[in-house]
Amino acid sequence: MQVDLRSRWQIRDVEIPTRLVLAPMAGVSVQAFRRQGRRYGAGLVCSEMVSCAGLHHGNERTLGYLRISADERPLAVQIFGSEPGVMAEAARMVEDAGADLVDVNFGCPVKKVTKTGAGATLLEDPSRACAVVAAVVDAVSVPVTVKMRRGLANGSRACLELGPRLVEAGAESLTLHPRSARQMYTGEADHSLTAELVARVDVPVVASGDVTSRERAQAILATTGAAAVMVGRAAQGNPWALREILEADAAPPSREEVVAELLLFIRETVRELGERRATGFLKKFYGWYLGRGRFPRPFKQELVQLETLDEVEARLLAAAPGAAEVLARLEAEVTRPEAEDDVVLDLPISIYGGG
């Protein structure tokens, strides 16, 4: 049975307009990325991981401000750490910034996170994991959600034992990426585990992992009973993936549309981060946008080597002159948040320093 991907669903009192969730991705999920995702149909968008220790100590390299504007809501801000009190403090800060949901990361497999006892490590420390969730739930009035992997080791079923306990601790929704931390992003996501988790809890479950097409999204929802699917790497530099999942007859973008959307993303990222920070941050996006057979590979390498964003913009427009008209239309349609409408929280974006 086909699921209506454009149907609404809820996490407690937060209404989400589609069954697509845009994943939190370190060094990717800046405001410009999230707002773009909402335009292309993501019902819920998420910030990248924010270190609770960084908030508490105030000693991390700051990439920029976390800004929350009306057109990206509903928004989840994801925090990570292993100390319940410090996580509670971080949760209060992001609620004050205007987050609709506080998401707790129990899934990150990266060593610099797991070696601190945070991320996926907490899947094997259920007492501490539950204490963290309970502390965050007590600290905020917005719903608290948790994103997790299946466990640390290949074949682990830790998520199935921990999931119900996290719900008892107050989690209002769970997201499962059914790969092990050891797998990182290799192999396939085992969504039979997602179906088992859905059967064990009475809160919405979001299925994450290998959601790359409309057919795959529909199959995962139909076989697991999950409330929604989470799209991650497929949407990097490719917001059209969201539209193609939502709409059966969605057309692929033209070269002009690709260039126009990239140029808008560049301009919005500069507005958010400032040109100096944005220049380095954006380089990885060129390949994501221009790949998939859209432009020759050497063209991406040429852009990466350009010194200024003005040069990048000029080269893109030379390659696709018709993009200028598309860009003008996009800029007329996209409402930029006024400075006074943004809720600004002065905090380190992540331990990755934005990429």
Side-chain angles (χ1 to χ4, degrees):
M1 184 178 69
Q2 290 239 320
V3 175
D4 181 2
L5 291 164
R6 289 195 175 275
S7 62
R8 296 177 176 272
W9 61 293
Q10 289 185 235
I11 298 177
R12 204 179 75 196
D13 53 348
V14 176
E15 187 173 270
I16 302 167
T18 74
R19 302 281 170 158
L20 287 190
V21 180
L22 188 60
M25 291 178 280
V28 175
S29 299
V30 293
Q31 187 188 60
F33 182 80
R34 303 191 305 260
R35 295 178 71 219
Q36 181 188 67
R38 289 287 287 122
R39 283 194 290 114
Y40 277 86
L44 175 66
V45 296
C46 308
S47 76
E48 60 180 297
M49 299 189 307
V50 177
S51 166
C52 74
L55 296 184
H56 178 71
H57 296 296
N59 60 0
E60 287 195 345
R61 174 176 176 263
T62 300
L63 172 63
Y65 296 121
L66 177 65
R67 291 179 167 85
I68 299 173
S69 64
D71 67 346
E72 62 179 310
R73 299 178 71 177
L75 168 73
V77 172
Q78 187 180 83
I79 58 176
F80 76 96
S82 60
E83 294 298 327
V86 182
M87 286 286 279
E89 177 188 1
R92 282 190 290 268
M93 292 179 70
V94 298
E95 181 182 33
D96 289 344
D100 300 287
L101 302 162
V102 175
D103 188 59
V104 178
N105 182 294
F106 290 165
C108 182
V110 177
K111 187 175 181 180
K112 66 171 65 177
V113 172
T114 58
K115 73 180 183 181
T116 69
T121 301
L122 286 162
L123 296 169
E124 308 293 344
D125 190 352
S127 295
R128 181 175 288 273
C130 291
V132 165
V133 169
V136 171
V137 169
D138 286 345
V140 298
S141 61
V142 298
V144 174
T145 62
V146 179
K147 186 173 189 287
M148 57 185 179
R149 287 195 171 223
R150 66 180 300 163
L152 288 177
N154 294 343
S156 172
R157 294 171 59 84
C159 62
L160 300 181
E161 300 303 320
L162 181 59
R165 294 183 61 179
L166 297 177
V167 173
E168 289 177 9
E172 304 271 5
S173 176
L174 302 174
T175 296
L176 177 62
H177 184 150
R179 283 183 171 91
S180 69
R182 183 173 296 169
Q183 277 182 277
M184 299 292 285
Y185 295 98
T186 63
E188 294 185 0
D190 180 4
H191 282 292
S192 67
L193 282 173
T194 310
E196 288 190 64
L197 181 63
V198 169
R200 293 187 182 207
V201 298
D202 58 0
V203 298
V205 173
V206 178
S208 175
D210 300 344
V211 182
T212 55
S213 67
R214 178 177 174 83
E215 292 72 25
R216 184 69 178 139
Q218 288 283 8
I220 290 171
L221 289 174
T223 58
T224 65
V229 290
M230 178 172 280
V231 180
R233 289 171 292 162
Q236 291 177 342
N238 190 31
W240 302 277
L242 301 173
R243 184 174 67 190
E244 290 162 5
I245 290 171
L246 285 174
E247 301 173 8
D249 56 352
S254 67
R255 284 166 60 100
E256 290 73 20
E257 288 173 315
V258 170
V259 168
E261 198 64 63
L262 173 54
L263 287 170
L264 179 64
F265 184 76
I266 289 171
R267 292 179 181 183
E268 290 296 284
T269 303
V270 169
R271 183 187 69 83
E272 180 181 352
L273 303 182
E275 185 160 354
R276 182 180 63 82
R277 289 171 174 166
T279 299
F281 173 83
L282 286 163
K283 288 183 184 295
K284 58 182 171 286
F285 285 87
Y286 302 153
W288 291 340
Y289 274 92
L290 305 175
R292 301 175 175 86
R294 294 166 181 163
F295 286 83
R297 183 171 294 182
F299 183 55
K300 179 206 76 170
Q301 295 301 328
E302 179 184 343
L303 294 183
V304 169
Q305 292 169 16
L306 295 175
E307 292 185 2
T308 70
L309 293 177
D310 284 343
E311 291 176 301
V312 171
E313 181 164 329
R315 186 66 187 89
L316 285 167
L317 288 172
E325 182 178 344
V326 181
L327 176 61
R329 185 170 68 248
L330 281 175
E331 292 199 301
E333 292 171 354
V334 173
T335 303
R336 284 187 176 80
E338 298 297 330
E340 60 269 21
D341 293 335
D342 270 2
V343 178
V344 180
L345 181 62
D346 186 359
L347 50 75
I349 295 295
S350 81
I351 62 168
Y352 298 96

